[in-house]
């Protein structure tokens, strides 16, 4: 019986199907590198996207000015509010310099809300002109234009905080309580984009709070 001679070609010992052509390897590497590059670009763009104004908490970031630096230091005498201040803290200027009728209504509401286990904390109340100017400057830097900043921070000439006629209340459960019960005390939310901002509207006790403005730029008082 004649035997078929074995091939002397060393390539015959490796099945063709188990080998990856060099060109295919190069293509796979190119695709992998492209995916990595695209992912890096997407991550960089997402990092640079501006935060939603709904977290304003944006406002919270503007409510405590930086100490020192350009413009000098600001403190409690200008209306800066330390942590944990309530509507009953008479020694804090931001509270003590509020309009007396506004403060009285706030304390009545806070006493009643206390029965539900809630506490009204003051995030911002009365402010000095210097404080308001600082906040406005920071808002312009944050939002990129005076027009956009005006949706969140008024000028010193128009701000009800400077006149002592506005207060920013927290935390969220306290503002939710005020949203439901505030009218009975004459306390009204003025702007839809600022659920923390309350002012006194005595007529609300009998007639309910007036229609809210979308933001301060819609308020005629801000057009002075």
């Amino acid at each position: 019986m004649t035997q078929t001679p074995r091939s002397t070609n060393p390539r015959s010992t490796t099945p063709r199907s188990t080998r990856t052509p060099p060109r295919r390897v190069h293509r796979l590497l190119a695709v992998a590198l492209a995916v990595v590059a695209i992912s890096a670009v997407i991550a960089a763009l997402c990092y640079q996207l501006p935060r939603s104004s709904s977290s304003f908490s944006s406002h919270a970031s503007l409510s405590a000015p930086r100490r020192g630096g350009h413009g000098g230091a600001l403190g409690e005498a200008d209306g800066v509010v330390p942590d944990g201040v309530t509507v009953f803290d008479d020694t804090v200027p931001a509270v003590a310099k509020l309009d007396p009728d506004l403060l009285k209504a706030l304390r009545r509401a806070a006493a009643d809300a206390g029965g539900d286990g809630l506490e009204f904390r003051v995030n911002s109340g009365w402010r000095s002109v210097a404080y308001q100017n600082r906040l406005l400057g920071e808002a312009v830097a944050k939002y990129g234009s005076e027009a956009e900043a005006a949706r969140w921070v008024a000028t010193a000439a128009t701000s009800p905080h400077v006149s002592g006629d506005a207060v920013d209340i927290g935390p969220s459960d306290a503002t939710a309580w005020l949203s439901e019960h505030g009218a009975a005390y004459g306390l009204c939310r003025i702007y839809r984009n600022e659920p923390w901002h309350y002012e006194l509207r005595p007529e609300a006790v009998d007639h309910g709070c007036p229609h809210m403005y979308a933001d301060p730029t819609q308020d005629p008082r801000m057009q002075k």
Side-chain angles (χ1 to χ4, degrees):
M1 178 172 123
T2 305
Q3 294 183 350
T4 302
R6 296 180 180 179
S7 174
T8 58
N9 185 352
R11 294 182 181 179
S12 64
T13 61
T14 303
R16 184 178 299 273
S17 60
T18 63
R19 298 173 59 246
T20 302
R23 290 183 180 179
R24 185 178 178 188
V25 172
H26 292 162
R27 284 198 300 269
L28 290 174
L29 287 174
V31 170
L33 290 174
V35 170
V36 171
I38 291 172
S39 299
V41 171
I42 292 174
L45 289 174
C46 290
Y47 179 81
Q48 294 176 7
L49 285 174
R51 295 180 180 177
S52 170
S53 61
S54 63
S55 63
F56 201 57
S57 329
S58 320
H59 178 82
S61 68
L62 296 172
S63 63
R66 293 185 294 272
R67 303 299 179 91
H70 180 70
L74 294 173
E76 288 187 31
D78 292 287
V80 177
V81 182
D83 292 338
V85 169
T86 75
V87 297
F88 298 103
D89 288 327
D90 286 322
T91 60
V92 179
V95 175
K97 291 187 177 184
L98 287 172
D99 172 76
D101 291 333
L102 170 60
L103 187 55
K104 185 183 298 183
L106 281 168
R107 288 176 173 176
R108 285 179 51 235
D112 290 344
D116 294 332
L118 303 177
E119 183 179 60
F120 287 9
R121 295 181 183 175
V122 177
N123 292 328
S124 193
W126 167 85
R127 301 170 186 161
S128 70
V129 170
Y131 187 177
Q132 191 68 28
N133 286 338
R134 175 73 67 85
L135 292 178
L136 181 57
E138 291 181 352
V140 171
K142 181 180 180 69
Y143 295 108
S145 70
E146 292 182 0
E148 184 62 20
R151 296 184 59 242
W152 304 101
V153 183
T155 65
T158 61
S159 173
H161 283 282
V162 173
S163 62
D165 294 315
V167 63
D168 293 347
I169 294 293
S172 59
D173 56 357
T175 57
W177 191 95
L178 271 177
S179 179
E180 182 177 357
H181 304 288
Y185 305 88
L187 297 170
C188 293
R189 178 179 164 187
I190 306 301
Y191 309 118
R192 284 199 299 271
N193 71 328
E194 295 188 6
W196 52 81
H197 180 106
Y198 277 81
E199 299 182 24
L200 183 65
R201 297 290 186 271
E203 65 277 9
V205 175
D206 296 319
H207 304 291
C209 290
H211 180 73
M212 284 186 285
Y213 300 110
D215 59 59
T217 62
Q218 306 300 312
D219 188 342
R221 298 176 300 171
M222 303 298 120
Q223 310 307 318
K224 298 177 182 178

